[in-house]
Amino acid sequence: MTDWAIHGQEIGNCNCNPGCPCQFSQLPTDGTCEALLTYRIDKGHYGNVQLDGLFAAVIYKWPGPVHEGGGQMQMIIDERATAEQRAALEAIMTGEDTDEFATMFSVFSLMSPTKHETLSAAISLDYDAESGTGQAQVGGYAETKVQPIPNIVSGDPHFVSIALPKGFEFSEATMACGSTQTRNAAISLEKNSGTHAHIAELHLTGKGVERAA
């Protein structure tokens, strides 16, 4: 198994209500799941291939809950990546060299038998923790915008975080409200407007999420 690790930040947006029932091992809000996950790799490697400073994203869509499978996925990789870096990121994001079910890459890939051609694009990710606003831009293919969940009475920013001590994606994440638009990709997301989003610091290896000592 090739040794790999990724440390960085993720912005994710799916079609569930803010908070996302999946995080609590419940069925998705409307019974289906579709999402865009965008990653900034601050420090990373796959074997001897360095991944520092690269970005990547994946569009996912399932006809039902993720665990029932039948989904599809399409990866978009930083256009600055070399052929070796691109191959490394594809391997990581399809669950290769990963203990089964140890990361979301493994789970989501296993549940997505339809894998569309990998795309290349300029990708950026920006998030301001103080205001709770941010954006992920995936070339001309997709864009996610996030903001704090609005208070149901006043509309004021409502800040929420959750911890997942045994999660396969993150140990802790900030919950948010997000919207995603897709275009020119093989997968079209149609339900992601004012829905669940999260911002997380990623610490992943082929063994799973690295936990704080």
Side-chain angles (χ1 to χ4, degrees):
M1 179 183 290
T2 300
D3 172 71
W4 65 267
I6 285 178
H7 293 239
Q9 190 171 57
E10 170 195 45
I11 288 180
N13 173 227
C14 73
N15 59 304
C16 280
N17 288 340
C20 184
C22 301
Q23 308 298 336
F24 298 88
S25 197
Q26 303 298 307
L27 294 175
T29 300
D30 75 352
T32 69
C33 183
E34 57 183 58
L36 172 67
L37 304 181
T38 306
Y39 313 99
R40 185 191 70 233
I41 302 171
D42 297 325
K43 184 174 179 60
H45 71 271
Y46 179 83
N48 294 324
V49 180
Q50 295 301 307
L51 304 173
D52 300 13
L54 293 177
F55 295 81
V58 192
I59 305 172
Y60 296 102
K61 194 167 190 174
W62 289 273
V66 174
H67 66 270
E68 292 184 358
Q72 53 181 316
M73 61 181 283
Q74 185 165 37
M75 295 174 282
I76 305 98
I77 291 176
D78 196 327
E79 64 182 11
R80 300 172 301 148
T82 65
E84 291 78 12
Q85 290 172 324
R86 179 187 173 104
L89 287 170
E90 285 186 300
I92 289 171
M93 292 191 292
T94 53
E96 292 184 27
D97 299 300
T98 300
D99 291 348
E100 193 171 48
F101 304 127
T103 68
M104 79 281 200
F105 296 131
S106 171
V107 172
F108 295 165
S109 179
L110 287 169
M111 295 299 104
S112 301
T114 300
K115 294 177 173 62
H116 298 283
E117 178 185 8
T118 300
L119 302 173
S120 178
I123 304 174
S124 62
L125 185 156
D126 298 290
Y127 178 69
D128 178 64
E130 184 173 350
S131 67
T133 60
Q135 177 174 310
Q137 183 72 46
V138 186
Y141 298 113
E143 178 186 59
T144 294
K145 293 183 179 180
V146 298
Q147 62 186 42
I149 300 166
N151 181 283
I152 196 170
V153 177
S154 67
D156 293 336
H158 183 61
F159 291 95
V160 184
S161 295
I162 66 169
L164 291 176
K166 296 184 178 181
F168 57 51
E169 186 172 0
F170 51 77
S171 294
E172 185 173 354
T174 297
M175 301 293 101
C177 180
S179 298
T180 294
Q181 292 185 335
T182 55
R183 61 190 78 86
N184 305 318
I187 302 172
S188 177
L189 304 188
E190 302 164 349
K191 304 177 182 180
N192 297 32
S193 180
T195 53
H196 168 78
H198 62 255
I199 302 90
E201 296 299 317
L202 296 183
H203 301 277
L204 297 170
T205 74
K207 299 293 184 182
V209 177
E210 291 186 323
R211 314 292 174 184

